[in-house]
Amino acid sequence: MEKQAEKLIELVREKNRSSRCKVLSFVSGKGGVGKTSVSTSFAYTLANVFRKRVLLLDCDIGLGNVHLLLGLDPSKNLKAVLRGSSLKEVIQSVYNFDVVLGFSGIDSLEELESYEAANLLVQLDRVMDSYDFIILDNSAGISRFTVNFTRAASETYVVTTPEPTALTDAYAFIKSVYKVYGYSSFKVIINSALSKSEGFETFERLRTSVERFLGFRLKLAGILPHSCRLKEALNSGKPVVHLYPSDPFSLELRKIVQLETGEALLEEKESFIKRLIRFFKEGS
Protein backbone atom coordinates (compact mmCIF):
# COMPACT_ATOMS: atom_id res chain seq x y z
CA MET A 1 0.00 0.00 0.00
CA GLU A 2 2.87 2.39 0.78
CA LYS A 3 4.41 1.81 -2.65
CA GLN A 4 1.05 2.49 -4.26
CA ALA A 5 0.71 5.74 -2.28
CA GLU A 6 4.20 6.81 -3.33
CA LYS A 7 3.38 6.29 -7.00
CA LEU A 8 0.11 8.22 -6.66
CA ILE A 9 1.75 11.11 -4.82
CA GLU A 10 4.35 11.41 -7.57
CA LEU A 11 1.57 11.18 -10.17
CA VAL A 12 -0.29 14.14 -8.65
CA ARG A 13 2.95 16.12 -8.21
CA GLU A 14 3.82 15.53 -11.86
CA LYS A 15 0.34 16.64 -12.87
CA ASN A 16 0.89 19.74 -10.73
CA ARG A 17 3.93 20.60 -12.81
CA SER A 18 2.27 20.06 -16.18
CA SER A 19 -1.27 21.26 -15.47
CA ARG A 20 -2.49 24.82 -15.05
CA CYS A 21 -4.18 23.62 -11.86
CA LYS A 22 -2.35 24.26 -8.60
CA VAL A 23 -2.88 22.06 -5.54
CA LEU A 24 -2.46 23.93 -2.24
CA SER A 25 -2.38 22.16 1.11
CA PHE A 26 -3.41 23.93 4.33
CA VAL A 27 -2.04 22.46 7.57
CA SER A 28 -1.47 23.38 11.20
CA GLY A 29 0.59 21.85 13.96
CA LYS A 30 -2.38 21.93 16.33
CA GLY A 31 -6.09 22.59 16.32
CA GLY A 32 -7.71 25.89 17.21
CA VAL A 33 -5.50 28.17 15.12
CA GLY A 34 -8.17 29.01 12.53
CA LYS A 35 -6.82 26.87 9.68
CA THR A 36 -10.24 25.97 8.30
CA SER A 37 -11.45 29.59 8.43
CA VAL A 38 -8.33 30.56 6.49
CA SER A 39 -8.62 27.81 3.87
CA THR A 40 -12.34 28.38 3.21
CA SER A 41 -11.77 32.13 3.02
CA PHE A 42 -8.87 31.48 0.65
CA ALA A 43 -11.10 29.38 -1.62
CA TYR A 44 -13.89 31.98 -1.51
CA THR A 45 -11.51 34.79 -2.41
CA LEU A 46 -9.94 32.87 -5.28
CA ALA A 47 -13.39 32.20 -6.74
CA ASN A 48 -15.10 35.52 -6.13
CA VAL A 49 -12.35 38.13 -6.25
CA PHE A 50 -10.03 36.52 -8.80
CA ARG A 51 -12.67 34.51 -10.70
CA LYS A 52 -10.78 31.22 -10.47
CA ARG A 53 -12.24 27.73 -10.78
CA VAL A 54 -11.78 26.29 -7.29
CA LEU A 55 -12.34 22.97 -5.56
CA LEU A 56 -12.10 22.89 -1.75
CA LEU A 57 -11.58 19.47 -0.14
CA ASP A 58 -12.12 18.97 3.57
CA CYS A 59 -9.49 16.28 4.16
CA ASP A 60 -10.02 16.06 7.90
CA ILE A 61 -10.76 12.37 8.36
CA GLY A 62 -13.38 11.95 11.07
CA LEU A 63 -13.42 15.56 12.28
CA GLY A 64 -14.42 17.55 9.22
CA ASN A 65 -16.16 20.87 9.89
CA VAL A 66 -15.99 22.89 6.65
CA HIS A 67 -19.76 22.44 6.36
CA LEU A 68 -20.23 24.61 9.47
CA LEU A 69 -18.46 27.55 7.83
CA LEU A 70 -20.31 27.21 4.52
CA GLY A 71 -23.78 26.18 5.70
CA LEU A 72 -23.79 22.89 3.73
CA ASP A 73 -25.47 19.54 4.31
CA PRO A 74 -22.75 17.26 5.80
CA SER A 75 -24.41 14.00 4.73
CA LYS A 76 -22.78 14.21 1.27
CA ASN A 77 -19.12 13.80 2.14
CA LEU A 78 -15.64 12.40 1.63
CA LYS A 79 -16.38 9.06 3.31
CA ALA A 80 -17.91 7.73 0.09
CA VAL A 81 -14.81 8.73 -1.91
CA LEU A 82 -12.44 7.05 0.53
CA ARG A 83 -14.53 3.90 0.08
CA GLY A 84 -14.17 4.02 -3.69
CA SER A 85 -16.85 6.38 -5.08
CA SER A 86 -16.12 9.09 -7.61
CA LEU A 87 -15.21 12.55 -6.36
CA LYS A 88 -17.75 14.08 -8.73
CA GLU A 89 -20.57 12.25 -6.94
CA VAL A 90 -20.10 14.20 -3.71
CA ILE A 91 -19.18 17.66 -5.02
CA GLN A 92 -21.40 20.49 -3.80
CA SER A 93 -21.30 24.04 -5.14
CA VAL A 94 -21.55 27.17 -3.01
CA TYR A 95 -20.35 30.79 -3.36
CA ASN A 96 -19.10 30.12 -6.92
CA PHE A 97 -16.75 27.26 -6.00
CA ASP A 98 -16.98 23.50 -5.53
CA VAL A 99 -16.66 21.71 -2.20
CA VAL A 100 -16.14 18.12 -1.07
CA LEU A 101 -16.96 17.89 2.62
CA GLY A 102 -15.17 15.83 5.23
CA PHE A 103 -17.09 13.84 7.81
CA SER A 104 -17.39 13.70 11.58
CA GLY A 105 -17.20 10.58 13.66
CA ILE A 106 -15.57 7.16 13.28
CA ASP A 107 -17.60 4.13 14.34
CA SER A 108 -14.61 1.86 14.99
CA LEU A 109 -10.84 1.60 14.81
CA GLU A 110 -11.22 -0.88 11.95
CA GLU A 111 -13.25 1.68 10.03
CA LEU A 112 -10.54 4.34 10.45
CA GLU A 113 -7.79 1.96 9.33
CA SER A 114 -9.79 0.91 6.27
CA TYR A 115 -9.79 4.40 4.80
CA GLU A 116 -7.02 5.09 2.35
CA ALA A 117 -5.87 8.33 0.77
CA ALA A 118 -4.96 6.45 -2.40
CA ASN A 119 -8.40 6.68 -4.01
CA LEU A 120 -8.63 10.38 -3.27
CA LEU A 121 -5.25 10.97 -4.91
CA VAL A 122 -6.47 9.10 -7.99
CA GLN A 123 -9.62 11.22 -8.03
CA LEU A 124 -7.57 14.42 -7.71
CA ASP A 125 -5.57 13.47 -10.77
CA ARG A 126 -8.79 12.97 -12.74
CA VAL A 127 -10.37 16.34 -11.92
CA MET A 128 -7.33 18.64 -11.90
CA ASP A 129 -7.87 19.85 -15.45
CA SER A 130 -11.32 21.18 -14.44
CA TYR A 131 -9.90 23.66 -11.90
CA ASP A 132 -7.36 26.43 -11.50
CA PHE A 133 -6.86 25.66 -7.81
CA ILE A 134 -7.56 22.71 -5.54
CA ILE A 135 -7.47 23.60 -1.83
CA LEU A 136 -6.84 20.79 0.66
CA ASP A 137 -7.96 21.60 4.20
CA ASN A 138 -6.09 18.96 6.18
CA SER A 139 -6.57 17.77 9.73
CA ALA A 140 -4.51 19.43 12.45
CA GLY A 141 -1.27 17.77 13.54
CA ILE A 142 0.63 14.99 11.82
CA SER A 143 -1.15 11.99 10.33
CA ARG A 144 -0.44 9.79 7.32
CA PHE A 145 -3.36 11.44 5.50
CA THR A 146 -2.10 14.97 6.13
CA VAL A 147 1.49 14.11 5.23
CA ASN A 148 0.50 12.34 1.99
CA PHE A 149 -1.84 15.12 0.88
CA THR A 150 0.82 17.70 1.72
CA ARG A 151 3.51 15.91 -0.24
CA ALA A 152 1.20 15.75 -3.26
CA ALA A 153 0.65 19.53 -3.15
CA SER A 154 2.77 22.04 -5.03
CA GLU A 155 2.74 24.32 -1.99
CA THR A 156 1.71 24.02 1.64
CA TYR A 157 0.40 26.85 3.79
CA VAL A 158 1.22 26.34 7.46
CA VAL A 159 -1.29 28.25 9.58
CA THR A 160 -0.20 29.13 13.10
CA THR A 161 -0.76 31.78 15.76
CA PRO A 162 1.58 33.69 18.12
CA GLU A 163 0.70 31.20 20.88
CA PRO A 164 3.92 29.35 21.86
CA THR A 165 2.37 25.88 21.66
CA ALA A 166 0.97 26.59 18.18
CA LEU A 167 4.37 27.79 17.02
CA THR A 168 6.15 24.77 18.50
CA ASP A 169 3.72 22.37 16.83
CA ALA A 170 4.01 24.21 13.49
CA TYR A 171 7.78 23.76 13.62
CA ALA A 172 7.36 20.09 14.52
CA PHE A 173 5.16 19.51 11.46
CA ILE A 174 7.60 21.27 9.12
CA LYS A 175 10.55 19.41 10.61
CA SER A 176 8.88 16.00 10.34
CA VAL A 177 7.83 16.33 6.70
CA TYR A 178 11.18 17.82 5.70
CA LYS A 179 13.33 15.31 7.58
CA VAL A 180 11.45 12.24 6.39
CA TYR A 181 10.52 13.26 2.84
CA GLY A 182 12.67 16.31 1.97
CA TYR A 183 9.55 18.41 1.30
CA SER A 184 10.20 22.13 1.86
CA SER A 185 7.56 24.02 -0.17
CA PHE A 186 6.10 25.77 2.88
CA LYS A 187 4.54 29.19 3.26
CA VAL A 188 3.53 30.48 6.69
CA ILE A 189 0.38 32.38 7.62
CA ILE A 190 0.41 33.95 11.08
CA ASN A 191 -3.24 34.08 12.12
CA SER A 192 -4.98 35.99 14.91
CA ALA A 193 -2.10 38.45 15.44
CA LEU A 194 -2.87 41.40 17.71
CA SER A 195 -0.52 43.59 15.66
CA LYS A 196 1.75 43.46 12.63
CA SER A 197 4.80 43.54 14.86
CA GLU A 198 3.56 40.54 16.86
CA GLY A 199 2.99 38.69 13.58
CA PHE A 200 6.46 39.47 12.24
CA GLU A 201 8.10 38.53 15.55
CA THR A 202 6.23 35.22 15.55
CA PHE A 203 7.31 34.40 12.02
CA GLU A 204 10.88 35.42 12.77
CA ARG A 205 11.08 32.89 15.61
CA LEU A 206 9.84 30.15 13.32
CA ARG A 207 12.05 31.20 10.42
CA THR A 208 15.16 31.30 12.61
CA SER A 209 14.54 27.79 13.94
CA VAL A 210 13.94 26.37 10.46
CA GLU A 211 17.06 27.97 9.00
CA ARG A 212 19.24 27.02 11.94
CA PHE A 213 18.18 23.41 12.41
CA LEU A 214 16.78 22.40 9.02
CA GLY A 215 18.83 24.56 6.67
CA PHE A 216 16.22 25.96 4.30
CA ARG A 217 14.51 29.32 4.00
CA LEU A 218 10.91 29.64 5.14
CA LYS A 219 8.53 32.02 3.34
CA LEU A 220 6.02 34.35 4.99
CA ALA A 221 2.72 34.39 3.11
CA GLY A 222 1.10 37.01 5.34
CA ILE A 223 -0.21 38.07 8.72
CA LEU A 224 -3.92 37.93 9.54
CA PRO A 225 -5.25 40.08 12.37
CA HIS A 226 -7.43 38.87 15.20
CA SER A 227 -11.07 39.49 14.28
CA CYS A 228 -14.23 39.23 16.38
CA ARG A 229 -16.14 38.80 13.12
CA LEU A 230 -14.91 35.23 12.73
CA LYS A 231 -17.16 33.96 15.52
CA GLU A 232 -20.12 35.84 14.11
CA ALA A 233 -19.50 34.31 10.68
CA LEU A 234 -19.23 30.80 12.16
CA ASN A 235 -22.54 31.23 13.98
CA SER A 236 -24.20 32.34 10.75
CA GLY A 237 -22.75 29.51 8.66
CA LYS A 238 -21.24 31.93 6.15
CA PRO A 239 -17.62 32.82 5.34
CA VAL A 240 -16.30 35.92 7.10
CA VAL A 241 -14.94 37.22 3.78
CA HIS A 242 -18.47 37.03 2.39
CA LEU A 243 -20.21 38.70 5.31
CA TYR A 244 -17.51 41.27 6.08
CA PRO A 245 -15.40 41.93 2.96
CA SER A 246 -14.01 45.15 4.48
CA ASP A 247 -12.95 43.56 7.77
CA PRO A 248 -9.15 43.74 8.29
CA PHE A 249 -9.02 39.93 8.24
CA SER A 250 -10.69 39.83 4.82
CA LEU A 251 -8.48 42.57 3.40
CA GLU A 252 -5.24 40.95 4.57
CA LEU A 253 -6.39 37.53 3.38
CA ARG A 254 -7.03 39.06 -0.04
CA LYS A 255 -3.40 40.21 -0.19
CA ILE A 256 -2.19 36.68 0.54
CA VAL A 257 -4.38 35.28 -2.23
CA GLN A 258 -3.21 37.99 -4.60
CA LEU A 259 0.41 36.98 -3.99
CA GLU A 260 -0.51 33.37 -4.77
CA THR A 261 -2.21 34.25 -8.06
CA GLY A 262 0.29 36.94 -9.04
CA GLU A 263 -2.62 38.95 -10.43
CA ALA A 264 -4.04 42.38 -9.74
CA LEU A 265 -7.36 42.57 -7.95
CA LEU A 266 -10.33 42.90 -10.29
CA GLU A 267 -11.22 46.31 -8.87
CA GLU A 268 -7.67 47.43 -9.53
CA LYS A 269 -7.94 46.26 -13.13
CA GLU A 270 -11.25 48.07 -13.52
CA SER A 271 -9.92 51.25 -11.98
CA PHE A 272 -6.98 51.14 -14.40
CA ILE A 273 -9.38 50.87 -17.35
CA LYS A 274 -11.44 53.75 -15.99
CA ARG A 275 -8.29 55.84 -15.61
CA LEU A 276 -7.30 54.99 -19.18
CA ILE A 277 -10.71 56.04 -20.51
CA ARG A 278 -10.52 59.26 -18.53
CA PHE A 279 -7.03 59.91 -19.92
CA PHE A 280 -8.26 59.64 -23.51
CA LYS A 281 -11.32 61.78 -22.79
CA GLU A 282 -9.21 64.49 -21.26
CA GLY A 283 -6.81 64.36 -24.20
CA SER A 284 -9.54 64.70 -26.81
Side-chain angles (χ1 to χ4, degrees), residues 39-57:
S39 63
T40 53
S41 296
F42 201 103
Y44 178 97
T45 302
L46 277 171
N48 292 279
V49 178
F50 293 93
R51 302 295 189 266
K52 300 298 182 183
R53 298 172 301 164
V54 180
L55 173 64
L56 170 65
L57 271 75

Side-chain angles (χ1 to χ4, degrees), residues 3-277:
K3 289 184 178 180
Q4 181 190 21
E6 289 297 322
K7 289 180 180 179
L8 290 170
I9 289 168
E10 185 52 39
L11 179 68
V12 175
R13 288 181 64 82
E14 184 61 35
K15 192 70 171 286
N16 261 323
R17 291 187 282 267
S18 61
S19 172
R20 62 175 292 178
C21 178
K22 204 168 187 180
V23 179
L24 304 177
S25 174
F26 281 74
V27 302
S28 62
K30 67 184 290 292
V33 300
K35 171 185 55 62
T36 299
S37 292
V38 172
S39 63
T40 53
S41 296
F42 201 103
Y44 178 97
T45 302
L46 277 171
N48 292 279
V49 178
F50 293 93
R51 302 295 189 266
K52 300 298 182 183
R53 298 172 301 164
V54 180
L55 173 64
L56 170 65
L57 271 75
D58 184 351
C59 299
D60 196 341
I61 307 303
L63 294 171
N65 56 15
V66 164
H67 65 285
L68 297 175
L69 281 74
L70 297 176
L72 292 172
D73 177 7
S75 62
K76 196 176 181 181
N77 60 52
L78 191 63
K79 184 180 286 191
V81 180
L82 293 173
R83 285 174 168 170
S85 298
S86 166
L87 199 64
K88 294 180 180 180
E89 295 177 32
V90 296
I91 287 177
Q92 301 184 59
S93 296
V94 65
Y95 300 114
N96 300 314
F97 63 94
D98 290 344
V99 183
V100 174
L101 294 176
F103 57 95
S104 297
I106 296 292
D107 295 330
S108 67
L109 182 60
E110 289 74 21
E111 181 183 23
L112 175 61
E113 292 176 344
S114 70
Y115 295 137
E116 292 296 338
N119 185 52
L120 181 54
L121 289 170
V122 170
Q123 297 292 332
L124 279 180
D125 177 65
R126 291 174 180 172
V127 303
M128 282 178 70
D129 290 336
S130 300
Y131 298 98
D132 299 308
F133 288 89
I134 294 178
I135 308 297
L136 308 178
D137 180 55
N138 287 289
S139 58
I142 302 174
S143 70
R144 62 190 176 94
F145 293 102
T146 300
V147 170
N148 284 340
F149 294 147
T150 292
R151 292 170 56 216
S154 54
E155 290 180 337
T156 294
Y157 283 86
V158 180
V159 182
T160 186
T161 67
E163 181 188 347
T165 55
L167 202 58
T168 299
D169 290 345
Y171 174 76
F173 181 91
I174 293 170
K175 176 183 176 181
S176 299
V177 179
Y178 177 72
K179 285 282 190 179
V180 177
Y181 299 104
Y183 183 96
S184 60
S185 299
F186 296 106
K187 291 182 177 179
V188 177
I189 295 176
I190 306 298
N191 190 31
S192 198
L194 297 179
S195 66
K196 282 281 188 181
S197 60
E198 181 184 52
F200 282 119
E201 289 170 5
T202 301
F203 173 73
E204 197 58 24
R205 291 198 296 274
L206 185 57
R207 182 195 66 80
T208 301
S209 296
V210 168
E211 288 192 12
R212 180 179 178 185
F213 298 110
L214 303 180
F216 70 90
R217 191 167 186 81
L218 204 58
K219 299 176 183 177
L220 176 64
I223 297 169
L224 298 174
H226 173 76
S227 175
C228 296
R229 301 292 194 184
L230 288 168
K231 187 174 182 180
E232 296 177 28
L234 176 61
N235 290 336
S236 69
K238 297 178 180 178
V240 64
V241 289
H242 173 75
L243 287 176
Y244 308 106
S246 297
D247 186 78
F249 175 94
S250 302
L251 297 177
E252 291 301 317
L253 191 282
R254 194 177 303 174
K255 292 178 184 178
I256 295 173
V257 178
Q258 182 178 13
L259 286 174
E260 179 60 56
T261 64
E263 299 177 7
L265 298 173
L266 289 181
E267 53 262 38
E268 291 177 357
K269 293 178 182 178
E270 293 169 353
S271 63
F272 171 76
I273 294 172
K274 289 179 181 178
R275 289 198 301 271
L276 195 61
I277 293 173

